[in-house]
Amino acid sequence: VGYGDVRGDLHVHTRWSEGSHSVEEMAEAARTLGYEYIAICDHAEALHIARGLSPERLADQAREIEHINREADDGFVVLAGTECNIDLDGRLDLPDRVLADLDVVVASVHSGFRQTEREMTERVIAAMENDNVDIIAHPTGRILLSREPYRIDLAAVFDAAAALGVLLEINAYPGRLDLSDTNARSAREHGVSFSLGSDAHNKESLRQMEFGIATARRGWLTAGAIANTRPLRELREFLR
């Protein structure tokens, strides 16, 4: 994959939750990077520390995004999404009726890191079995120099992701880079496809995408293996 191949960012936060800038400000910054689209994936309500969005607030945000898209005259599109928390039993913290109306659903583990390998593996696979889930974010939960990956059977997760058509994220935040290069290479050998997300919480952090691309390159991933190298129309078809 080349550094100019990524057409949009599929994991962006705004001040609706714990980000620093508005949807419109993040969209404008993404335009300057030459993107065609971004997905706004603010945290859902169970992550209280991040001011997660209730279904009602998420609906308000979606209306704001719809207005921004109507006003745009250059073809740039803001996708309405969420970053759901995966509960201990694999359930998500937003109801399916809400998730079904979104363009992009990202799911991730933010708590319960001490589960056994079997429990964590079953938990993540259960989340992937939800038909609304498009992406599993930072799939091993590691924080570089701070937190080791949680115990999880990655081979089983890779097989499930490939079978279910769920993307695994390479999170470009420099403290995560998760999946790692070696795990990304292994996942591809299992037939997995990927998304790249900056996990940006401010305009400047959109540029973190370079680190995600570098990680993908180290894992020998081609552009065809990464969903957001596609134009928006093809991406929508791929996610469906």
Side-chain angles (χ1 to χ4, degrees):
V1 58
Y3 283 96
D5 288 341
V6 174
R7 294 174 178 260
D9 194 328
L10 294 182
H11 189 164
V12 174
H13 294 277
T14 73
R15 66 166 62 123
W16 276 86
S17 62
E18 60 179 344
S20 301
H21 294 101
S22 68
V23 174
E24 194 162 14
E25 288 170 329
M26 295 300 282
E28 186 57 36
R31 281 186 177 91
T32 67
L33 296 177
Y35 287 156
E36 300 173 16
Y37 52 85
I38 57 169
I40 302 301
C41 297
D42 281 314
H43 292 287
E45 61 183 342
L47 204 62
H48 301 298
I49 194 172
R51 296 180 58 243
L53 276 65
S54 66
E56 293 75 22
R57 290 185 66 217
L58 189 60
D60 290 340
Q61 184 188 67
R63 282 190 285 271
E64 178 181 312
I65 289 172
E66 183 179 1
H67 173 75
I68 290 170
N69 286 333
R70 281 200 309 268
E71 294 295 311
D73 58 4
D74 59 354
F76 184 89
V77 173
V78 180
L79 300 172
T82 184
E83 183 180 4
C84 285
N85 192 55
I86 302 174
D87 292 340
L88 293 177
D89 59 1
R91 289 182 294 179
L92 306 179
D93 58 347
L94 285 171
D96 287 344
R97 61 176 174 77
V98 173
L99 299 178
D101 287 338
L102 298 173
D103 297 310
V104 179
V105 175
V106 175
S108 53
V109 171
H110 287 102
S111 61
F113 300 121
R114 295 184 180 180
Q115 285 186 308
T116 66
E117 179 181 288
R118 179 176 178 178
E119 289 171 335
M120 184 65 78
T121 303
E122 291 177 349
R123 173 184 181 182
V124 171
I125 291 175
M128 289 194 291
E129 288 173 342
N130 184 309
D131 290 339
N132 296 301
V133 171
D134 300 303
I135 300 167
I136 298 295
H138 38 79
T140 75
R142 77 173 186 177
I143 302 291
L144 293 172
L145 305 178
S146 175
R147 186 173 72 210
E148 291 296 314
Y150 41 67
R151 291 170 291 177
I152 190 168
D153 183 347
L154 283 176
V157 170
F158 296 160
D159 284 339
L164 294 166
V166 175
L167 302 171
L168 296 187
E169 181 186 71
I170 296 177
N171 187 291
Y173 176 70
R176 288 191 184 271
L177 300 181
D178 181 14
L179 291 168
S180 68
D181 49 3
T182 52
N183 284 335
R185 178 63 174 169
S186 177
R188 187 57 183 162
E189 291 171 352
H190 285 253
V192 171
S193 293
F194 305 86
S195 70
L196 288 175
S198 67
D199 204 352
H201 286 61
N202 55 61
K203 295 185 296 184
E204 294 75 17
S205 295
L206 288 169
R207 296 184 179 275
Q208 293 173 170
M209 183 65 79
E210 290 187 3
F211 301 119
I213 296 170
T215 299
R217 289 169 63 86
R218 285 170 58 90
W220 287 86
L221 300 186
T222 63
I226 299 168
N228 46 320
T229 63
R230 292 168 168 79
L232 180 60
R233 179 182 57 79
E234 293 182 18
L235 174 69
R236 289 186 187 276
E237 293 174 356
F238 185 85
L239 293 177
R240 280 201 296 269

